Each structure stands twice: as structure tokens, then as C-alpha cells.
């Protein structure tokens, strides 16, 4: 490999990324055979850049946990199998017992995604048990700090104060001592979602069910515990949420769309929620009364439930966001490409260039990956392989080549993960 001289960067242009967030309490169920509706795969023009998937109550029996420690859990494997052919890469994941958080990004964004930290915060059994709590992925996306939190808060109508207390505790525990990472409240964006378990106060079961039947959801909003808390809690007030225009997502009889018919007949509630918080914007100029042009802004495109899935007593909830940003980092730290014709008979050479401040390490490596592209994104004439440069110091992929072909007769060794490594 031959390194070229450092290169200059250019002024970045604003861009819009589409982020799709999924939250679902799966009640120990295995993945259904088809999740096309949940992942929006049934849409003709799937124009997403990032998938953020949070599950609660995954099977966390001892046999399942031991198996998942040695191998990918069934849900992670399912999402990888479905999303990989669409050019998505699992960039990071974190699990705490039944809580799972996954972050997928389109391959072209990988050089601009840096995973800074993953964290688990148990709040069950006085903070010692992870059946409740939160898991967090902290990352930099095009230079902006983003924290993603998937949580499972205490259940039952009477435990509203405890839910708020756990919300605060999870937030307080997202510190990054000894790391050059700002406090979570100084991050540009917090995405917070999960089975928050907030209920509908005061109204009786009959009134709630009749309101749902007649789609008078607004009649129930004023007694929704989370909506009430957001009006009074100074910190929660900074989190935004889309309108609840879908039926309450809990509690259903499994394998049906009927609300709880057991002896307990639990009152329906919007337990599964997706919130977000943007860092406070700069104040307006006192002379012009104009705000600076925003360089980072999140807008909600959709906030819906998916009633067709019945494997759990909860329905999944999704949000689609448009993230408008002016990249603080617009040039990949590494640009690399294959040199000459790659065949078994020739030596395989790679050239690369780097930005002046790139912290290279002798432990960096370059991998060759066989990929399958969605032809709507990349012309069919493009190649089937990518070169990726992994930075040991940054713990992330910092450079990706353009797709290219390897001529027939070349030899690639398949590793157990399905990733290909060249014999050089």
C-alpha cells in the first residue's frame, strides 16, 4: 500500500438524512416471518439513511442469554439479513438482558459515523437488575453528537412517580467520565424511546375503549401520564413528541387485535413512545431579532403504530425523521481505491490518501467485503466489492472505496462472518 500526501477539505454543503426509529416490546417472541411493513420495505421508493431499532422484553432466559452471547440473537440476525441487501450495515449494538438497541446506516455514511460509547443502565431491583432501565449508543454523525436511548420503565398505573424517577436516573447515568465527550444534555440530539409504561389516568375502562373504538384519541390525551409530566417537568418539557394519532399500543391479547380480555382487563395505554430533544438553539441577535441559520434540525415526518403484528401484547411504533445538517466533517478521513486489475494472478495493490489530522495507527487495517446492492441506489454495472479502512484509534470505519469488480478467476477466502478477505 502506498500513501499519498494529505489533501485539502472543501466547504461542506447542507444535506438531509432520513432516520427511521422502531420501538417494540416483543414479549419474548421470536421474529415474525415478515417485517416488511414495520421496516417500510413495502414502499416503492425506500429513501432511508439510518435505522434505529429498540426492542424490549427480548427472551432473556438463561439458555437464550448464553446462546446469544456466543451467537447473534435471532432479532439482530433477522434485521441484518433483511437490511444488508439494501446496503445497510450494523454499525453498533448494545444489549442489557431483554433490552436491545441496534444502529444501522447506509454504507456511504460509515466514514462519517464514529461510535463513541455504548452504555447500559439497570434500574430494576434498586439498580442491580437489568430487567428495567436503559441502553445508550453515543456517536458522532458528520461531526455532531447524538445520543440514542432505548428504555423500559416500571409498569402499573400507580408507579408514575417511579417512572419519572427512573427516567431521570437513566439520564443522569449517561456521563462519560475520562472521555472527551460532552454531557448528554449538551449533545446536539437525543433520541429517547421504548416501553415507557405511562398510562391513562382517571378515565374508566369503558370510556377509554369507546374513545378508541370511535377514534376519539384526543379525548384521552389530557389524562395521558407522559403528556401531563411533560407539561410540568422542566427536563421532560424539553423533549418533543409527535401527536398520538394512533390507537394505544398496550395491552392486547397475543395473536389478536383485541385489547386485554383476561381477568385483569388492563386499561389500554400509549406505553410505547418515541421522544427527541434538540440542543438549545442560539439566541436571536438583539439588533436584528433574527436567529442564526440552523445547521442542525430534526423534523418529524411520521409517527405511527403497526397494528398488523400480533406476536406480542404490544404493537410496534415507528417514527420517520428528516435530519437537516451542515456537515462539520464533510471529507472522509481516508480515501482509498484498488490499483490496477484485481485478479488471482496479479498482486492486489491499494492506494489511499488521508486528511492532515487523521490519527493513524499500525493496528489499522483494510478489509475487502462482498456486498449486494439495491440496484435502485447503485447501477447494476457497478462492482460487487468494497474496500473498508478501519481505524483502531477511532474504533470505526473511516474510509470506503467505490464499488468495483474483481475479474473472474480471482480467489477470495470467505470468513465465518461472510466477509471476504483478499490474499495479498
Amino acid at each position: 500500500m502506498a500513501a499519498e500526501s494529505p489533501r485539502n477539505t472543501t466547504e461542506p454543503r447542507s444535506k438531509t438524512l432520513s432516520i427511521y426509529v422502531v420501538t417494540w416490546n416483543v414479549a419474548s417472541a421470536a421474529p415474525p416471518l415478515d417485517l416488511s411493513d414495520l421496516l417500510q420495505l413495502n414502499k416503492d421508493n425506500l429513501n432511508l439513511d439510518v435505522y434505529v431499532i429498540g426492542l424490549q422484553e427480548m427472551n432473556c432466559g438463561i439458555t437464550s442469554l448464553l446462546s446469544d452471547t456466543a451467537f447473534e440473537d435471532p432479532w439482530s440476525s433477522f434485521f441484518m439479513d433483511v437490511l444488508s441487501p439494501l446496503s445497510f450495515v450494523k454499525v453498533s449494538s448494545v444489549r442489557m438482558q431483554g433490552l436491545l438497541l441496534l444502529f444501522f446506516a447506509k454504507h456511504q455514511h460509515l466514514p462519517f459515523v464514529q461510535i463513541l460509547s455504548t452504555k447500559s443502565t439497570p434500574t430494576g431491583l434498586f439498580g442491580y437488575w437489568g430487567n428495567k432501565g436503559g441502553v445508550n449508543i453515543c456517536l458522532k454523525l458528520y461531526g455532531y453528537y447524538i445520543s440514542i436511548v432505548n428504555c423500559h420503565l416500571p409498569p402499573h398505573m400507580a408507579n408514575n412517580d417511579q417512572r419519572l424517577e427512573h427516567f431521570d436516573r437513566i439520564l443522569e447515568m449517561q456521563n462519560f467520565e475520562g472521555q472527551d465527550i460532552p454531557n448528554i444534555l449538551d449533545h446536539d440530539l437525543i433520541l429517547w424511546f421504548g416501553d415507557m409504561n405511562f398510562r391513562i389516568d382517571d378515565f374508566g375502562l369503558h370510556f377509554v375503549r369507546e374513545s378508541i373504538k370511535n377514534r376519539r384519541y384526543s379525548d384521552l390525551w389530557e389524562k395521558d401520564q407522559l403528556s401531563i409530566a411533560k407539561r410540568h417537568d422542566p427536563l421532560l418539557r424539553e423533549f418533543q413528541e409527535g401527536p398520538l394519532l394512533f390507537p394505544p399500543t398496550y395491552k392486547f391479547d397475543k395473536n389478536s387485535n383485541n385489547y386485554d380480555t383476561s381477568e385483569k382487563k388492563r386499561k389500554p395505554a400509549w406505553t410505547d413512545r418515541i421522544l427527541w430533544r434538540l440542543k438549545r438553539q442560539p439566541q436571536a441577535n438583539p439588533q436584528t431579532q433574527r436567529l442564526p441559520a440552523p445547521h442542525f434540525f430534526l423534523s418529524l415526518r411520521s409517527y405511527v403504530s403497526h397494528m398488523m403484528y400480533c406476536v406480542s401484547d404490544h404493537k410496534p411504533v415507528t417514527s420517520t425523521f428528516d435530519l437537516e445538517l451542515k456537515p462539520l466533517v464533510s471529507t472522509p478521513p481516508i480515501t482509498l481505491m484498488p490499483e490496477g486489475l484485481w485478479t488471482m494472478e496479479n498482486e492486489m495493490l491499494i492506494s489511499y490518501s488521508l486528511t492532515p489530522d487523521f490519527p493513524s495507527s499500525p493496528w489499522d487495517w483494510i478489509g475487502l467485503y462482498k456486498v449486494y446492492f439495491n440496484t435502485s441506489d447503485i447501477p447494476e454495472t457497478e462492482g460487487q466489492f468494497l474496500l473498508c479502512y478501519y481505524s483502531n484509534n477511532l474504533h470505526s470505519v473511516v474510509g470506503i472505496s467505490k464499488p468495483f469488480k474483481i475479474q473472474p478467476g480471482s480467489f477470495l477466502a470467505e470468513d465465518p462472518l461472510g466477509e471476504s478477505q483478499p490474499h495479498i
Side-chain angles (χ1 to χ4, degrees):
M1 296 185 293
E4 299 176 359
S5 58
R7 48 193 163 80
N8 295 323
T9 59
T10 57
E11 182 68 20
R13 294 181 178 181
S14 296
K15 65 190 309 165
T16 300
L17 303 180
S18 183
I19 300 176
Y20 191 71
V21 178
V22 178
T23 181
W24 193 6
N25 181 321
V26 297
S28 299
L33 294 177
D34 185 3
L35 286 175
S36 296
D37 182 75
L38 180 68
L39 299 176
Q40 300 293 282
L41 305 181
N42 49 6
K43 291 197 172 180
D44 293 333
N45 297 314
L46 184 68
N47 186 26
L48 298 174
D49 297 281
V50 171
Y51 276 96
V52 176
I53 301 171
L55 304 181
Q56 307 87 39
E57 285 196 28
M58 284 179 55
N59 189 346
C60 56
I62 185 65
T63 303
S64 175
L65 281 175
L66 289 173
S67 174
D68 294 349
T69 300
F71 309 99
E72 286 281 3
D73 66 88
W75 284 93
S76 295
S77 296
F78 182 93
F79 289 124
M80 290 174 67
D81 290 344
V82 170
L83 296 177
S84 293
L86 301 175
S87 306
F88 285 93
V89 177
K90 190 184 81 171
V91 182
S92 184
S93 68
V94 56
R95 180 173 179 184
M96 180 180 70
Q97 289 180 220
L99 278 169
L100 175 68
L101 178 58
L102 302 167
F103 183 91
F104 289 85
K106 276 280 183 71
H107 71 89
Q108 62 262 34
H109 300 301
L110 292 188
F112 306 101
V113 179
Q114 183 185 352
I115 302 299
L116 301 175
S117 172
T118 59
K119 194 175 182 69
S120 301
T121 306
T123 60
L125 197 62
F126 308 103
Y128 292 100
W129 192 241
N131 64 320
K132 296 294 185 291
V135 289
N136 169 270
I137 295 175
C138 173
L139 58 98
K140 289 181 84 172
L141 179 65
Y142 287 92
Y144 293 92
Y145 285 96
I146 296 177
S147 270
I148 303 168
V149 181
N150 173 26
C151 73
H152 194 182
L153 302 182
H156 307 309
M157 180 73 71
N159 288 335
N160 190 42
D161 289 343
Q162 193 179 11
R163 281 187 279 278
L164 296 173
E165 179 186 318
H166 284 208
F167 186 95
D168 290 342
R169 190 186 310 172
I170 293 169
L171 193 60
E172 290 169 1
M173 293 300 292
Q174 304 308 314
N175 49 36
F176 308 96
E177 294 180 4
Q179 303 180 59
D180 188 21
I181 304 174
N183 183 278
I184 188 172
L185 294 178
D186 291 321
H187 289 187
D188 299 284
L189 171 64
I190 302 174
L191 287 171
W192 193 309
F193 49 86
D195 180 1
M196 300 190 182
N197 259 321
F198 289 104
R199 307 303 170 99
I200 297 173
D201 272 334
D202 298 340
F203 295 139
L205 176 62
H206 177 74
F207 178 81
V208 171
R209 288 194 171 182
E210 281 299 306
S211 298
I212 296 170
K213 180 180 178 181
N214 296 305
R215 299 186 179 183
R216 296 197 310 267
Y217 307 130
S218 59
D219 292 347
L220 307 177
W221 294 344
E222 62 178 285
K223 297 299 181 180
D224 170 66
Q225 290 177 336
L226 179 56
S227 299
I228 294 170
K230 286 177 83 296
R231 291 196 293 268
H232 297 95
D233 186 282
L235 188 55
L236 261 176
R237 193 182 298 141
E238 296 184 2
F239 284 83
Q240 301 180 60
E241 183 182 18
L244 298 169
L245 301 178
F246 50 87
T249 53
Y250 173 87
K251 172 181 172 60
F252 291 85
D253 295 334
K254 287 188 179 181
N255 302 311
S256 82
N257 280 323
N258 300 319
Y259 284 104
D260 187 15
T261 60
S262 70
E263 290 184 5
K264 294 183 178 180
K265 287 187 171 58
R266 291 181 181 86
K267 190 163 55 173
W270 286 288
T271 56
D272 310 280
R273 312 289 279 268
I274 299 174
L275 311 177
W276 74 94
R277 177 188 182 273
L278 286 170
K279 186 178 178 181
R280 293 188 186 95
Q281 296 295 316
Q283 297 297 311
N285 185 311
Q287 295 180 342
T288 63
Q289 293 301 311
R290 289 184 179 178
L291 282 169
H295 296 309
F296 188 91
F297 183 73
L298 191 76
S299 57
L300 178 68
R301 200 195 310 167
S302 72
Y303 188 32
V304 298
S305 64
H306 298 258
M307 301 296 290
M308 64 183 292
Y309 297 106
C310 301
V311 297
S312 168
D313 54 354
H314 291 250
K315 301 298 183 182
V317 174
T318 63
S319 284
T320 307
F321 296 97
D322 287 328
L323 177 60
E324 301 174 47
L325 57 84
K326 187 174 183 180
L328 300 177
V329 178
S330 59
T331 304
I334 295 287
T335 299
L336 67 166
M337 64 190 71
E339 286 290 326
L341 187 67
W342 278 41
T343 69
M344 183 179 175
E345 291 75 22
N346 294 343
E347 288 190 4
M348 298 179 182
L349 300 178
I350 301 168
S351 66
Y352 68 95
S353 59
L354 63 160
T355 54
D357 57 349
F358 176 69
S360 61
S361 162
W363 296 103
D364 294 351
W365 52 267
I366 295 174
L368 177 68
Y369 296 85
K370 188 172 184 178
V371 290
Y372 303 92
F373 292 112
N374 182 349
T375 54
S376 64
D377 294 332
I378 296 179
E380 197 169 350
T381 54
E382 296 281 359
Q384 294 179 304
F385 296 89
L386 288 175
L387 290 166
C388 296
Y389 188 110
Y390 182 84
S391 166
N392 184 67
N393 288 328
L394 299 178
H395 306 292
S396 59
V397 172
V398 294
I400 298 179
S401 72
K402 292 182 178 180
F404 65 95
K405 286 185 176 180
I406 295 179
Q407 297 302 310
S410 60
F411 176 74
L412 289 170
E414 294 287 343
D415 74 9
L417 298 178
E419 299 167 353
S420 302
Q421 301 295 334
H423 289 261
I424 300 181

